[in-house]
Amino acid sequence: MMETFRAATSLVADSAIPVVLAIVFAVGAWRGVKVYDTFVEGAKEGFDTAVRIIPYLVAVLVAVGMVRSAGLLDRVSQALGPLLSWIGVPPETLPMVLVRPMSGSGADGVMVELMKVHGPDSLPATTAAVMSGASDTTFYVLAVYFGSIGIERIRHALWAGLLGDLVGMLAAAWMTHALLF
Amino acid sequence: MYGVSTIFWRRCTVGTSFMVVNRVFVALVLAAVATAAGSDFLPVVAGGGDGGAMKAVTQRTLEAANDAAKLALGLVGVLALWTGVMRVAEQAGLVALIARVMRPLLVRVFPDVPADHPAMGAIVMNMAANLLGLGNAATPLGLQAMKHLQTLNPHKKTASNAMVLFLALNTTHLTLIPARTIALRLENGSTNATNIVLPTLLATACGMAVAFMVTKLLEGRFKVMPDEGQPAADATVTDPKGVAP
């Protein structure tokens, strides 16, 4: 059952891009769109967008990199441990909770570290894996998405994104414990 | 009761919302430098400690700036591919078609966006890409959606309700297959790498529901201030329930 589900979903993920390309170009040609010219014209826009997000990315990645390399995250983890155990979150996963909203590769790093220290199928490592999937790099997404169109006042976007991440990660800890351990 | 909550909301909605990115940015940098300085300079006075924190921060700061540029330039190819494909899809009327299918649901979720607007199509495509775990495809589609939402935004430097909601749903998106995480688990010797699929899906649904509710609750509290040189804020964006035309 699980195997079939896994095979089916990975087939969908593997073939989605070529199938979408084929459908879009076929329908475009059928409807009389000059597919090549239109594609190139649209692609120019993608180049502009990528260049426009560089300053925002520099700001976010520098700030996050400084915090991580200064050892600040380790200190916060030690201080908050007892509170986390009390609400049902393995304290070993705190670096994941703190890093995930800021850096996707940082979160992967935390996950790999937990798997090495506690074992790949241990409660902390599995919980961290579920947490990673249940949240996103909110700081990065906000910086890139708002940066690309020049929005400076983001109103409640950070609160909504971070609260969603926090609840997603809390639920991840509880779901992992309830369903897998 | 009234006084306290009024002051609280004034702080949160006027002060913080305009300044939050600036404050977080400065706070992160200062906290990092202070921590590194503490672990390097205190041992000199008190004895003990291994030092080297400042050196690590220096190195990482320069690396991070470099990484940021590489990351953005690394996006150019895929971004160009998808904006190109999306332009063809738009001209062929495919985006409008998908948006029409999703209209009943999306009209309720995004009351400020006209049902046949290109923004609606880009939002749907972005959500579909996220669901399939196509992160590389989702980002350009999301940026496209933001660009279209900006054309509906009366105050070009202030986020609209639709933008904030789109990002809240985007950062808590449902994922059918967390492919990268499963790959990492397999690589590190997990014997049941895919057992995280169901808990991840359920936990993400919780996060998404909360992000949606928080956005709807807060959007009336965070008033839109007009950009400099623009007329005063209009009723559409300050409407607390976000249901005005």
Side-chain angles (χ1 to χ4, degrees):
Chain A
M1 172 60 196
M2 203 60 214
E3 284 301 306
T4 322
F5 178 66
R6 190 175 138 199
T9 44
S10 79
L11 183 66
V12 169
D14 287 345
S15 49
I17 290 177
V19 168
V20 167
L21 282 186
I23 293 175
V24 168
F25 288 175
V27 174
W30 181 54
R31 293 261 181 111
V33 176
K34 285 182 184 163
V35 173
Y36 178 75
D37 293 344
T38 313
F39 176 88
V40 172
E41 193 195 315
K44 283 179 192 157
E45 213 175 281
F47 179 79
D48 292 342
T49 306
V51 173
R52 213 173 322 127
I53 62 177
I54 292 179
Y56 300 91
L57 268 185
V58 170
V60 172
L61 292 193
V62 164
V64 172
M66 288 177 81
V67 167
R68 285 179 56 210
S69 60
L72 193 55
L73 277 176
D74 302 336
R75 282 158 200 248
V76 177
S77 299
Q78 280 169 4
L80 289 180
L83 176 72
L84 286 172
S85 319
W86 187 68
I87 55 171
V89 176
E92 297 90 338
T93 59
L94 186 67
M96 175 60 82
V97 178
L98 296 177
V99 169
R100 188 70 181 95
M102 299 194 274
S103 159
S105 52
D108 287 351
V110 171
M111 213 188 327
V112 170
E113 205 174 276
L114 285 174
M115 285 192 280
K116 292 218 163 98
V117 176
H118 301 278
D121 295 310
S122 63
L123 177 66
T126 311
T127 305
V130 176
M131 282 177 166
S132 180
S135 51
D136 204 341
T137 48
T138 297
F139 282 102
Y140 165 86
V141 170
L142 292 187
V144 170
Y145 279 45
F146 280 135
S148 73
I149 52 169
I151 294 282
E152 286 167 9
R153 297 167 189 161
I154 66 168
R155 295 171 68 220
H156 48 311
L158 188 66
W159 302 124
L162 287 183
L163 260 173
D165 282 343
L166 192 67
V167 171
M169 287 195 272
L170 270 179
W174 297 333
M175 296 293 173
T176 306
H177 189 77
L179 296 173
L180 304 179
F181 286 89
Chain B
M1 185 68 190
Y2 176 77
V4 171
S5 67
T6 308
I7 292 167
F8 175 73
W9 278 116
R10 189 164 299 156
R11 271 198 64 80
C12 286
T13 59
V14 178
T16 323
S17 65
F18 287 13
M19 298 297 296
V20 73
V21 173
N22 290 311
R23 284 188 191 164
V24 168
F25 184 59
V26 174
L28 286 178
V29 171
L30 292 186
V33 176
T35 310
S39 54
D40 270 9
F41 300 152
L42 286 183
V44 176
V45 184
D50 49 2
M54 271 300 194
K55 196 178 169 194
V57 174
T58 303
Q59 208 172 357
R60 188 66 210 130
T61 304
L62 299 176
E63 277 171 13
N66 202 20
D67 288 349
K70 275 193 208 153
L71 205 65
L73 291 176
L75 270 175
V76 168
V78 183
L79 212 51
L81 172 66
W82 279 102
T83 47
V85 172
M86 283 302 288
R87 180 68 65 90
V88 176
E90 241 174 75
Q91 303 267 308
L94 274 171
V95 176
L97 181 77
I98 293 177
R100 209 174 307 138
V101 173
M102 297 287 287
R103 188 193 313 230
L105 176 68
L106 282 173
V107 161
R108 260 167 224 158
V109 177
F110 293 97
D112 305 334
V113 182
D116 51 355
H117 196 272
M120 214 47 122
I123 290 172
V124 186
M125 304 286 267
N126 169 267
M127 286 181 170
N130 270 330
L131 188 68
L132 296 173
L134 306 171
N136 286 340
T139 304
L141 292 168
L143 294 177
Q144 195 90 344
M146 291 299 278
K147 218 179 128 191
H148 289 308
L149 287 176
Q150 181 73 319
T151 64
L152 296 169
N153 186 7
H155 308 292
K156 299 300 177 202
K157 293 192 168 179
T158 306
S160 66
N161 286 343
M163 286 176 188
V164 176
L165 182 58
F166 171 59
L167 282 187
L169 295 181
N170 187 287
T171 56
T172 55
H173 62 260
L174 289 177
T175 308
L176 224 47
I177 295 299
R180 205 182 41 177
T181 304
I182 292 174
L184 271 177
R185 278 165 65 73
L186 279 173
E187 220 174 271
N188 284 275
S190 169
T191 52
N192 198 353
T194 52
N195 66 357
I196 58 165
V197 169
L198 186 62
T200 302
L201 200 61
L202 294 176
T204 315
C206 295
M208 203 176 198
V210 167
F212 180 77
M213 286 187 292
V214 168
T215 309
K216 286 291 179 189
L217 282 174
L218 288 184
E219 65 185 18
R221 301 284 185 175
F222 285 77
K223 301 255 187 292
V224 174
M225 297 290 173
D227 297 339
E228 287 106 51
Q230 280 206 11
D234 58 314
T236 316
V237 278
T238 52
D239 176 46
K241 284 182 182 151
V243 290

